[in-house]
Amino acid sequence: MTGVDDNPLVEFRDVSYSVPSLSSPIISDLDLKVEQGEILVLLGESGCGKTTTLRLINRLLTPTSGRVMVEGKPTTEWDPIRLRRRIGYVIQDAGLFPHFTVERNIGLVPSLEGWEITRVKERVTELLSLVGLDADKFAQRFPRELSGGQRQRVGVARALAADPPLLLLDEPFGALDPLRRASLQREFGELTRRLHKSAIFVTHDLREALRLGSRIALMHAGRLALVETPENFLNSNEEHARAYLETLQLHDDEEGFTGGNR
């Protein structure tokens, strides 16, 4: 029988990644599948290999051993430019080109793909509306004229511009204040579900992982410690998962204590 399990959008097959200056691999023996239509969250502390894992997908890095497959083809067999245009990429603080307007930032990849000017403008207007920004008000602004939350919205719009099958997001909301971050998390979750997009989302924040993930892949020291649904993660007895859950409980207890003394 054929199903999504037979055709993962991204697959890591026994992947390791090392650099000569480090005594231990950054990624070790990684086996992982990302299915069509899911949001897989890579969760872990700084230095555990989350961002390296993302960069192996869009061929900013090449595995030392093993194979990374995208749409059934090893990344080493993709033309790097072609591959990257098939993948939307969002980083912290959006990574917008500062000398480009919002319209030009969002329309860059469609323009490089040869879209007609009218079609690009229509797509920019559509996407700005989708992320909650008025095109008449924001299209001709420069990134410096936007708030942090507005830049992140534009970053998501840019990632969606050419309708890629996959989004990679590297702690995109990490620099925002808690209220704006929670709002964008909620909006991003609703948006990806509505558009049926697949995404790999990097975070060190368990709350964010539980809120957004279809599955959570917990990484520790370059290895996968656990891959579970949010519900199963909450009930896991795996030691690194328990450590995360204990910090979540501690945070809740502290918030309750603080709240009781206001």
Side-chain angles (χ1 to χ4, degrees), residues 174-193:
L176 303 178
D177 65 76
L179 287 177
R180 188 168 292 137
R181 182 174 186 172
S183 174
L184 284 178
Q185 287 169 351
R186 184 172 57 254
E187 291 172 13
F188 173 76
E190 292 171 354
L191 182 64
T192 50
R193 283 190 291 272

